[in-house]
Amino acid sequence: MAATPATPKPEPDAPSRREELLRIAARLFAEKGFKNTTVRDIADAAGILSGSLYHHFDSKESMVDEILRSFQDELFAAYDEILASPDDARTKLERAVRLSFDAIHEHGPEVAIFQNDADHLGALERFGYLAERNAQSRAVWLTLLQEGVDTGVLRADLDLTLTYRFIRDTVWVAVRWYRPGGQHAHTEIADQYLTILLDGISAPA
Amino acid sequence: MAATPATPKPEPDAPSRREELLRIAARLFAEKGFKNTTVRDIADAAGILSGSLYHHFDSKESMVDEILRSFQDELFAAYDEILASPDDARTKLERAVRLSFDAIHEHGPEVAIFQNDADHLGALERFGYLAERNAQSRAVWLTLLQEGVDTGVLRADLDLTLTYRFIRDTVWVAVRWYRPGGQHAHTEIADQYLTILLDGISAPA
DNA sequence: GTCTATATAAAGATAGAC
DNA sequence: GTCTATCTTTATATAGAC
């Protein structure tokens, strides 16, 4: 084996240059939208010239691809863990909701990109997995909701398809205004959302 | 007065060419996003060449400006009518929610553009009115919610700022999947949403 | 890993003929 | 009101030097 003196192995905690660039790109994609962010924007924010980005990535699409894939892998692993748990239906629903707010807290840019650009990117073959993940998400939530109805913890008069769509859309929408370190902690927002979702805003009769 | 033989006055119901082009542009902006829609896309859909669009409009920005302004004028006039009505707090809240679903039904493209592109467009001076409308919307909903708490029809333990944000975001989000003539009528979706918002998804104890 | 320089394509917009 | 033709700017991406 010849000596390979160059590029020292990075510490596990020290993000590689590649990861750092992806983090910068994710922030910009989230703020301005994928299409509206230029490779020059990304390069400027990273303190290099646009051409230099192509040493690390094939294309702008490759960047957002890598960002979305790794986020979704992590997210769906967490959903699977909840589904497989022995918790009762209501607890699992609550955990799934809180998982969304945790994701908004820890991976805001990725969530925002997914919310804003997934529809449009999904039209490209390369992003076909987004539709698969969408179907998987639907299956997760409908399973949880059906289990809730079957065990009597949820009302039986709900249209589960509509309920699923509302929950799917509303657990993510706080990414539009939530900022870490702001007035409301993400756990507090999750509490308030669960209160409304489970019991409504009406005063008890 | 000299005779003016050209351009006959259009019937009030016959949309002018200008209005027809705006309708086409609105649909495309809603489907693909403002930035991602080219003037060539719009011209193609209208069956003309891109240069011809500039006979009708200054720029692509002018088009989306006109689309958003006229929609918001109509929407906020309707909010004002609800605020000024003698209905009780709960009825006014229900009317405001149903107004959103009516707007999604009748002005889907305009709602979608506002949801998807208003943040980004709002950064331009020309679209400063979007921030004003945003403040106005906040005032409308907070007024309705406060009146609901004061008259005892809403729970007193809600954080009204968070509740406002959730309602604001969630009454519009159905524009992502609702299609006129689809499986669920918009009135039916409004009913289901109001059920969840007012009373929650939990089974009664 | 970044820079210089540049190729190539796409997009917004304009001028004047019809 | 639309077309032909074209200008200008912006954007993605590449090649090779350092």
Side-chain angles (χ1 to χ4, degrees):
Chain A
M1 236 195 284
T4 50
T7 50
K9 242 184 217 140
E11 294 299 310
D13 288 357
S16 66
R17 181 68 169 143
R18 179 188 185 78
E19 281 161 348
E20 196 186 344
L21 292 171
L22 281 180
R23 203 181 45 75
I24 290 167
R27 182 173 54 78
L28 290 171
F29 290 155
E31 277 172 14
K32 324 197 329 169
F34 174 71
K35 185 81 180 187
N36 204 25
T37 302
T38 71
V39 293
R40 282 183 179 82
D41 289 336
I42 301 167
D44 283 354
I48 60 179
L49 292 188
S50 64
S52 305
L53 276 179
Y54 290 84
H55 172 74
H56 302 275
F57 306 97
D58 275 353
S59 66
K60 196 172 87 162
E61 270 183 19
S62 293
M63 299 185 79
V64 77
D65 190 8
E66 196 165 331
I67 290 164
L68 288 177
R69 269 184 205 276
S70 54
F71 167 62
Q72 295 216 333
D73 287 350
E74 184 180 332
L75 178 67
F76 280 85
Y79 278 134
D80 286 346
E81 209 273 307
I82 292 172
L83 272 181
S85 84
D87 294 331
D88 63 28
R90 171 155 175 151
T91 302
K92 281 195 267 197
L93 261 178
E94 288 198 20
R95 287 185 61 194
V97 168
R98 289 186 199 283
L99 174 58
S100 301
F101 287 94
D102 290 344
I104 289 170
H105 177 64
E106 306 211 9
H107 300 289
E110 292 90 330
V111 173
I113 296 166
F114 184 70
Q115 289 298 295
N116 297 330
D117 292 307
D119 270 11
H120 150 245
L121 290 173
L124 309 173
E125 276 182 51
R126 142 174 234 168
F127 294 97
Y129 64 93
L130 291 173
E132 290 168 37
R133 289 301 199 184
N134 193 40
Q136 192 180 352
S137 159
R138 180 186 157 91
V140 168
W141 284 105
L142 281 178
T143 299
L144 294 179
L145 289 173
Q146 190 62 57
E147 191 180 332
V149 171
D150 291 348
T151 59
V153 302
L154 296 187
R155 310 159 55 131
D157 64 337
L158 295 169
D159 179 319
L160 287 196
T161 298
L162 286 182
T163 305
Y164 151 68
R165 285 181 183 157
F166 275 122
I167 295 179
R168 172 198 62 183
D169 292 340
T170 57
V171 294
W172 295 118
V173 81
V175 76
R176 295 193 165 214
W177 53 265
Y178 172 76
R179 294 296 170 268
Q183 191 159 9
H184 301 278
H186 72 285
T187 48
E188 186 188 343
I189 299 168
D191 288 343
Q192 182 83 185
Y193 174 76
L194 277 168
T195 296
I196 295 175
L197 177 66
L198 292 169
D199 297 321
I201 67 174
S202 288
Chain B
M1 237 195 283
T4 51
T7 49
K9 241 185 218 140
E11 295 297 311
D13 287 358
S16 66
R17 182 67 169 142
R18 180 189 184 75
E19 281 162 349
E20 198 186 343
L21 292 171
L22 281 180
R23 205 181 42 76
I24 290 167
R27 183 173 53 77
L28 290 171
F29 291 156
E31 277 173 10
K32 324 197 328 168
F34 174 71
K35 185 81 181 189
N36 204 26
T37 301
T38 71
V39 293
R40 284 180 177 82
D41 289 335
I42 301 168
D44 284 353
I48 59 179
L49 292 188
S50 63
S52 305
L53 275 180
Y54 290 84
H55 173 73
H56 302 275
F57 306 97
D58 277 353
S59 64
K60 196 172 85 161
E61 270 184 19
S62 294
M63 300 186 78
V64 78
D65 190 8
E66 197 165 330
I67 290 164
L68 288 177
R69 268 184 205 276
S70 54
F71 167 62
Q72 296 217 331
D73 287 349
E74 184 180 333
L75 178 67
F76 280 85
Y79 278 135
D80 287 344
E81 209 274 306
I82 292 172
L83 272 181
S85 84
D87 294 330
D88 64 27
R90 171 156 174 151
T91 302
K92 281 196 266 196
L93 260 179
E94 286 196 23
R95 287 185 61 193
V97 167
R98 288 186 198 284
L99 174 58
S100 301
F101 287 93
D102 290 344
I104 289 170
H105 177 64
E106 307 211 8
H107 300 288
E110 292 89 330
V111 173
I113 295 165
F114 183 70
Q115 288 298 296
N116 297 329
D117 291 309
D119 270 9
H120 150 245
L121 290 172
L124 308 172
E125 276 182 51
R126 141 174 235 168
F127 294 97
Y129 63 93
L130 292 173
E132 290 168 36
R133 289 302 200 182
N134 193 41
Q136 192 179 351
S137 159
R138 180 187 157 93
V140 168
W141 284 105
L142 280 178
T143 300
L144 294 178
L145 289 173
Q146 190 63 56
E147 190 180 332
V149 171
D150 291 347
T151 60
V153 302
L154 296 186
R155 310 159 53 132
D157 64 337
L158 295 169
D159 178 319
L160 287 196
T161 299
L162 285 182
T163 304
Y164 151 67
R165 286 181 182 158
F166 274 121
I167 294 179
R168 173 197 63 183
D169 293 340
T170 59
V171 293
W172 295 118
V173 81
V175 76
R176 295 194 165 213
W177 53 264
Y178 171 76
R179 294 296 171 268
Q183 192 159 7
H184 301 278
H186 72 287
T187 49
E188 185 188 344
I189 299 167
D191 289 344
Q192 181 82 186
Y193 174 76
L194 277 168
T195 296
I196 295 175
L197 177 66
L198 292 169
D199 298 320
I201 66 174
S202 288

